[in-house]
Amino acid sequence: MSTTGAAPGLSKAFYAIIAGVGGGTGRAVALRFARTYPVALLARGEASYADVVAEITRNGGEAVGVRADVSDEKSLAAALEVVKGKFQGKGLAVGVFNVSSPVSIKPFLETKLKDLDQSLAANARGLYNFAHATLPSLVESVSANPPYPPTLLVTGATAALRGSAGFGVFAAGKFAVRALSQSLAREFGPQGVHVAHVVVDGVIEGPRTKGYIVEGVEDGKLNPAAIAESYWHLHTQHRSAFTHELDLRPYAEKF
Amino acid sequence: MSTTGAAPGLSKAFYAIIAGVGGGTGRAVALRFARTYPVALLARGEASYADVVAEITRNGGEAVGVRADVSDEKSLAAALEVVKGKFQGKGLAVGVFNVSSPVSIKPFLETKLKDLDQSLAANARGLYNFAHATLPSLVESVSANPPYPPTLLVTGATAALRGSAGFGVFAAGKFAVRALSQSLAREFGPQGVHVAHVVVDGVIEGPRTKGYIVEGVEDGKLNPAAIAESYWHLHTQHRSAFTHELDLRPYAEKF
Amino acid sequence: MSTTGAAPGLSKAFYAIIAGVGGGTGRAVALRFARTYPVALLARGEASYADVVAEITRNGGEAVGVRADVSDEKSLAAALEVVKGKFQGKGLAVGVFNVSSPVSIKPFLETKLKDLDQSLAANARGLYNFAHATLPSLVESVSANPPYPPTLLVTGATAALRGSAGFGVFAAGKFAVRALSQSLAREFGPQGVHVAHVVVDGVIEGPRTKGYIVEGVEDGKLNPAAIAESYWHLHTQHRSAFTHELDLRPYAEKF
Amino acid sequence: MSTTGAAPGLSKAFYAIIAGVGGGTGRAVALRFARTYPVALLARGEASYADVVAEITRNGGEAVGVRADVSDEKSLAAALEVVKGKFQGKGLAVGVFNVSSPVSIKPFLETKLKDLDQSLAANARGLYNFAHATLPSLVESVSANPPYPPTLLVTGATAALRGSAGFGVFAAGKFAVRALSQSLAREFGPQGVHVAHVVVDGVIEGPRTKGYIVEGVEDGKLNPAAIAESYWHLHTQHRSAFTHELDLRPYAEKF
């Protein structure tokens, strides 16, 4: 295993799975990893991944999109069957958990129990299911001579570190995701699988945030391609120097 | 409102609710708060509170026990109706959330989704429901001249701060509880309600832990009466100097 | 050793030392501890402690003030000789380190190395010297049947947790103080000495802050007597349930 | 400014300074940055950098070594004059602060004030001086069309996050470094300079640690070239997605 970080050419023996490709981050991460691996994209609706699959294919990469609700064990299992059929004989190199619940900011007494349940389902159950389904394959890949240590990457948020007023329901899900990520990092690191939690802090550039001007400056929003570079770097880290958590925020962000 | 911390005599105008009185902490906290307030004790089974109610009554205090599953909105609402009937005309001075799921330490791939669901239900949904049901009364008490600022106290654990190997499922629930506690502290503090999260780190003395010798020393286990003193102190803090989080651990504990 | 938190009467066999009594906190802590112990007050100038000594004496307590610069080993040693002469035969029950450097907020490039040196001297060297000089006596008191576990209390600040823009020099000193406090808590806890770090977050009420209105509310500033109650509570904690860090902030404080 | 992370060829218009090249990390970071920039290496003794300068030159890079004690303002200023003379007309792209004091683990009462002073001098004063001397140049480079955002990288340690028993003096210096790094990140980020703190947790591979076997496994020690890859990644991050802190630890490390 090299420590140089130089990307090898397209690896046909391994593939990557990205769960949650609706937003800007998922798409950018898929495009970045598709430069090296065939990629499977999971989302609840085909509209979320169809364009990304097409774009990767146009670029000469290999991609498959499958509908899945990762908060539902059976839905996820069925989707992964499709993926395994498609990528038969290949090992899993990377799993990216990029699923989230909508950010909701609301006075606590105006929230409903079902808001909490949704946050916990999308975040905590989602990651639980995704990790449960992908870690056995990632562990298996450790001894299959992969280009880089098999990796599970988890998208987190500032709300994973801090429960602000009006953010309780959202933060509960994000804190739970961080708890799971830390436990998995400590349990699977010694087995050779790299688990990392990325705290994305700020507004991400994308169609939905086009109108926002953050801190009144250019590049005040996180560029998804820039986020994806750090995900790729995490994946390529040598096993003697794994990062378990890093933050990503625009230079102009107050924090 | 005094800043002296001197306890007033038995306050007949206000009462306290403690959810989760099965373990050593719940009982000790109930006894401590019963020195000043009538107390309502919630637990899933009568066996958990019957002795404590009897002991408080023997000591000249006032107590009522009600069966409730706080992870279930309806069960909790029904129990609180009974409590309000019993303590009619009184204001709520304190709510203590001391419910937990069993600590389970297990390799991640041997856990089941229902283990996660149980941890999230007991901890995150439990606190959500309890806070939702008690905060309106606590806010109301702010302007009713209470002896101390109305208070919501939450029992946490080291697993609220750190996801250790094998602890993912347990930590997910405890992290979520901390997220909610922080959000509530920041939202309800400015309204005059004190919300605090207590990180209890160590083995608690009690019937189930009688045989354990911790660090080979006397007082190596947390004394529940000592825990209760710090809960009482938190309740009596002046609103100009609220604590939002503290840790409690035996002097001999490695941390 | 009791777990009830009930204060014993004036203890003639033990005394307390408070370093840094110029501000509101030091005075209030001195008054609070003087209800139980004879107290020694250290400050750089007599004007800082003269009134407090007089007030304690008027209240029937016992106090001595001594000039000392705790950042200077020799100055501190000389002062402690005076204190030991005055309180001969008594054991040390409590040391409170309440010294600080002035808060300075300045663009980094406008600061001077001597600003950093001052911050490190007052905070890090100050606590180092104070801890070095008092811990042997505190350890000795463990076996001398003290009313509560011998205690070293350290006043910290939000800048101990977070380096904000313009606060680097100030935060360097406060972070260093927290580092020392944590190390001492872990080393001396198992020997029976309680070391705790208090994060005081907000403006403290006092002559210098009379004009400030914080968050537009009454009690928006920390009441020094309220702070002192929490210091006293920390001192009285049973050794099976020591707190190593707590925060104190006004109910209306944004954080 | 690109977000692709692809390294440009050797940049003749900018240079990098690395302070502290005695250990494995400094050398590896120097070699890595020398693939793109001319580099200046600072150390207290020529022996620390002579071989690295030779190795870079052999590889076709450009390097200069200068003796400097960064804890001493004047020594550092003199060294930087030499560097500026050598690299006249170039802008500063990167400063790496990799200076440390020796790790010392000792019972607190066996340490001396001068141990604390050494730790604070090497770490806190060292970073203060280095940042003070390099930040004006880094800010200047922001508008000089640099290949990547001008960057100040700071090597930290686990002792920057946690004060363990026996580590107080060492941790005080490391906490102070983290305090300064955070403040500088928040102050200079909005000006376009990227400041990041790297928590290196574990034993680093090198001549001095040859005999150590960590956790009984291959790659149980941090590979300096792997550390250097993450430093390089931090430097290349797009300004819309800066990381301010990351940890690096061997896969087998308990944490």
Side-chain angles (χ1 to χ4, degrees):
Chain A
M1 209 174 289
S2 133
T3 62
T4 62
L10 184 58
S11 166
K12 292 280 188 200
F14 292 90
Y15 69 102
I17 304 180
I18 292 117
V21 292
T25 305
R27 178 184 163 274
V29 170
L31 290 169
R32 183 64 187 83
F33 282 79
R35 283 158 54 185
T36 299
Y37 301 114
V39 296
L41 312 183
L42 308 184
R44 276 194 295 189
E46 204 183 321
S48 295
Y49 56 71
D51 288 356
V52 191
V53 169
E55 191 171 353
I56 289 170
T57 310
R58 263 201 316 279
N59 294 350
E62 195 179 344
V64 59
V66 190
R67 266 199 299 254
D69 174 357
V70 294
S71 70
D72 175 336
E73 273 185 304
K74 283 182 190 159
S75 165
L76 178 62
L80 292 181
E81 275 313 299
V82 176
V83 172
K84 283 180 189 171
K86 173 82 182 170
F87 293 147
Q88 224 160 352
K90 298 189 201 304
L92 183 61
V94 188
V96 178
F97 180 77
N98 185 52
V99 175
S100 190
S101 53
V103 186
S104 78
I105 317 177
K106 229 188 238 185
F108 178 67
L109 295 173
E110 291 175 22
T111 64
K112 303 279 182 213
L113 181 55
K114 73 168 171 34
D115 297 325
L116 177 76
D117 285 343
Q118 267 175 14
S119 171
L120 296 175
N123 292 293
R125 296 182 108 227
L127 174 57
Y128 180 93
N129 287 336
F130 186 71
H132 226 273
T134 56
L135 276 165
S137 305
L138 291 167
V139 171
E140 217 177 283
S141 296
V142 171
S143 51
N145 196 26
Y148 303 109
T151 306
L152 174 60
L153 296 172
V154 179
T155 302
T158 303
L161 304 181
R162 181 189 153 81
S164 303
F167 274 91
V169 155
F170 182 63
K174 294 301 184 190
F175 268 61
V177 157
R178 187 171 181 241
L180 278 172
S181 301
Q182 286 186 3
S183 294
L184 297 174
R186 290 184 165 109
E187 182 174 343
F188 290 91
Q191 301 178 45
V193 176
H194 185 184
V195 180
H197 179 251
V198 181
V199 177
V200 179
D201 181 13
V203 175
I204 298 171
E205 222 176 279
R208 276 178 303 185
T209 62
K210 207 150 218 162
Y212 297 23
I213 295 174
V214 178
E215 303 289 344
V217 296
E218 202 192 341
D219 294 328
K221 289 176 278 189
L222 288 133
N223 182 316
I227 298 175
E229 280 308 317
S230 285
Y231 278 60
W232 179 254
H233 173 67
L234 287 169
H235 173 51
T236 64
Q237 285 183 320
H238 187 249
R239 67 176 177 170
S240 80
F242 280 167
T243 291
H244 293 106
E245 187 163 86
L246 58 73
D247 57 313
L248 291 174
R249 41 174 66 98
Y251 73 108
E253 187 79 7
K254 300 276 184 306
F255 68 101
Chain B
M1 208 175 290
S2 134
T3 62
T4 63
L10 184 59
S11 166
K12 292 280 188 200
F14 293 90
Y15 70 102
I17 304 181
I18 292 115
V21 291
T25 306
R27 177 183 164 273
V29 169
L31 290 169
R32 183 64 187 84
F33 282 79
R35 284 158 53 186
T36 300
Y37 301 114
V39 295
L41 312 183
L42 308 183
R44 276 194 294 188
E46 204 184 322
S48 295
Y49 55 71
D51 288 356
V52 191
V53 169
E55 190 172 352
I56 290 170
T57 312
R58 263 200 317 277
N59 294 349
E62 196 179 343
V64 59
V66 189
R67 268 198 299 254
D69 173 358
V70 294
S71 69
D72 174 337
E73 272 185 305
K74 284 182 190 158
S75 165
L76 178 62
L80 292 180
E81 275 314 297
V82 175
V83 172
K84 283 181 188 170
K86 173 80 181 174
F87 293 145
Q88 223 160 351
K90 298 189 201 304
L92 183 61
V94 188
V96 178
F97 181 76
N98 186 52
V99 174
S100 188
S101 54
V103 186
S104 78
I105 317 177
K106 229 188 237 185
F108 178 67
L109 294 173
E110 292 174 21
T111 64
K112 304 278 182 215
L113 181 56
K114 74 168 170 34
D115 297 326
L116 178 76
D117 284 344
Q118 267 174 14
S119 171
L120 296 175
N123 292 293
R125 298 181 108 228
L127 175 57
Y128 180 93
N129 287 335
F130 186 72
H132 225 273
T134 57
L135 277 165
S137 304
L138 291 167
V139 171
E140 216 178 286
S141 295
V142 172
S143 51
N145 196 27
Y148 303 110
T151 305
L152 175 60
L153 297 171
V154 179
T155 301
T158 304
L161 305 181
R162 177 189 157 82
S164 303
F167 274 90
V169 155
F170 182 65
K174 293 301 182 190
F175 268 62
V177 156
R178 188 170 181 242
L180 279 172
S181 301
Q182 286 186 4
S183 294
L184 297 174
R186 290 183 165 108
E187 181 173 345
F188 290 90
Q191 300 178 45
V193 176
H194 184 184
V195 181
H197 178 251
V198 181
V199 177
V200 179
D201 181 13
V203 175
I204 299 171
E205 222 176 281
R208 276 178 302 185
T209 62
K210 207 150 218 163
Y212 297 22
I213 295 175
V214 178
E215 303 289 344
V217 296
E218 204 191 340
D219 293 329
K221 290 177 278 190
L222 289 133
N223 182 317
I227 298 175
E229 281 306 318
S230 285
Y231 278 60
W232 179 253
H233 173 67
L234 287 168
H235 173 51
T236 64
Q237 284 184 320
H238 187 249
R239 68 177 177 172
S240 80
F242 279 167
T243 290
H244 293 108
E245 186 163 84
L246 57 74
D247 57 313
L248 291 175
R249 41 175 66 97
Y251 73 108
E253 188 78 8
K254 301 277 183 305
F255 68 101
Chain C
M1 207 175 291
S2 134
T3 63
T4 62
L10 184 59
S11 167
K12 292 280 189 199
F14 293 90
Y15 69 102
I17 304 181
I18 292 116
V21 292
T25 305
R27 178 183 162 273
V29 169
L31 290 170
R32 184 63 186 84
F33 282 78
R35 283 158 54 186
T36 299
Y37 301 115
V39 295
L41 312 183
L42 308 183
R44 276 194 295 188
E46 204 184 321
S48 294
Y49 56 71
D51 288 357
V52 191
V53 169
E55 190 171 353
I56 290 170
T57 311
R58 264 200 316 277
N59 293 350
E62 196 180 343
V64 59
V66 189
R67 269 198 297 255
D69 174 356
V70 295
S71 69
D72 174 337
E73 271 185 305
K74 283 182 190 159
S75 165
L76 178 62
L80 292 181
E81 275 312 298
V82 175
V83 172
K84 282 180 187 170
K86 173 83 182 174
F87 293 147
Q88 222 160 351
K90 299 190 201 302
L92 183 62
V94 188
V96 178
F97 181 76
N98 185 52
V99 174
S100 188
S101 53
V103 186
S104 78
I105 318 176
K106 230 189 235 183
F108 177 68
L109 295 173
E110 292 176 21
T111 64
K112 303 281 183 213
L113 181 56
K114 75 169 169 33
D115 297 325
L116 177 75
D117 284 344
Q118 266 175 16
S119 172
L120 296 175
N123 292 292
R125 298 182 107 228
L127 175 57
Y128 180 93
N129 287 335
F130 186 71
H132 226 272
T134 57
L135 277 165
S137 305
L138 291 167
V139 170
E140 216 178 286
S141 294
V142 172
S143 51
N145 196 29
Y148 304 109
T151 305
L152 175 60
L153 297 171
V154 179
T155 301
T158 304
L161 304 181
R162 177 189 156 82
S164 303
F167 274 90
V169 156
F170 182 64
K174 294 300 184 191
F175 268 61
V177 156
R178 189 171 180 240
L180 278 172
S181 301
Q182 286 185 4
S183 295
L184 297 175
R186 291 182 164 110
E187 181 174 344
F188 290 89
Q191 301 179 45
V193 175
H194 184 184
V195 180
H197 179 250
V198 181
V199 178
V200 178
D201 182 14
V203 175
I204 299 172
E205 222 176 281
R208 276 179 303 186
T209 62
K210 206 148 218 163
Y212 297 23
I213 294 173
V214 179
E215 303 289 344
V217 297
E218 203 192 341
D219 293 328
K221 288 175 282 190
L222 288 133
N223 182 317
I227 298 175
E229 280 307 319
S230 285
Y231 278 60
W232 179 253
H233 173 67
L234 287 168
H235 173 50
T236 64
Q237 284 184 320
H238 188 249
R239 67 176 177 172
S240 80
F242 280 166
T243 291
H244 293 106
E245 187 164 85
L246 57 74
D247 57 313
L248 291 175
R249 41 174 65 98
Y251 74 108
E253 188 78 9
K254 301 275 184 304
F255 68 101
Chain D
M1 209 173 291
S2 132
T3 63
T4 62
L10 184 58
S11 166
K12 292 281 190 198
F14 292 90
Y15 70 102
I17 303 181
I18 292 115
V21 290
T25 306
R27 178 184 163 273
V29 169
L31 290 169
R32 183 64 187 83
F33 281 79
R35 283 158 55 186
T36 300
Y37 301 115
V39 295
L41 311 183
L42 308 184
R44 276 194 294 188
E46 205 183 321
S48 295
Y49 56 70
D51 288 355
V52 191
V53 169
E55 190 171 354
I56 289 170
T57 310
R58 266 201 314 277
N59 294 350
E62 195 179 344
V64 57
V66 189
R67 268 200 298 257
D69 173 358
V70 295
S71 69
D72 174 336
E73 272 185 305
K74 283 181 190 161
S75 165
L76 178 62
L80 292 181
E81 274 314 297
V82 176
V83 172
K84 282 180 189 170
K86 173 83 182 173
F87 293 145
Q88 222 160 351
K90 300 189 200 303
L92 183 61
V94 187
V96 178
F97 180 76
N98 186 52
V99 175
S100 189
S101 53
V103 186
S104 78
I105 318 177
K106 230 188 237 184
F108 178 67
L109 294 174
E110 293 174 20
T111 64
K112 304 278 182 213
L113 180 56
K114 74 169 170 32
D115 297 324
L116 177 76
D117 284 343
Q118 266 175 16
S119 170
L120 296 175
N123 292 292
R125 297 182 108 225
L127 174 57
Y128 180 94
N129 286 335
F130 186 71
H132 225 272
T134 56
L135 277 164
S137 304
L138 291 167
V139 170
E140 217 178 284
S141 295
V142 171
S143 51
N145 195 29
Y148 303 109
T151 305
L152 174 60
L153 296 171
V154 179
T155 302
T158 305
L161 304 180
R162 177 188 155 81
S164 303
F167 273 90
V169 155
F170 182 65
K174 295 299 183 191
F175 269 61
V177 157
R178 187 170 182 240
L180 278 172
S181 300
Q182 287 185 4
S183 294
L184 297 174
R186 291 183 164 109
E187 182 173 344
F188 290 90
Q191 301 178 45
V193 176
H194 183 184
V195 181
H197 179 251
V198 181
V199 177
V200 179
D201 182 14
V203 175
I204 299 172
E205 222 175 278
R208 275 178 304 184
T209 62
K210 206 147 219 165
Y212 297 23
I213 295 173
V214 178
E215 302 289 344
V217 297
E218 204 191 340
D219 293 329
K221 288 176 281 189
L222 289 133
N223 182 317
I227 297 175
E229 280 307 319
S230 285
Y231 278 60
W232 179 253
H233 173 66
L234 287 169
H235 173 51
T236 64
Q237 285 184 319
H238 188 248
R239 67 176 177 172
S240 80
F242 280 166
T243 290
H244 293 105
E245 186 164 86
L246 58 72
D247 56 314
L248 291 174
R249 42 174 65 99
Y251 73 109
E253 188 79 8
K254 302 275 183 304
F255 67 101

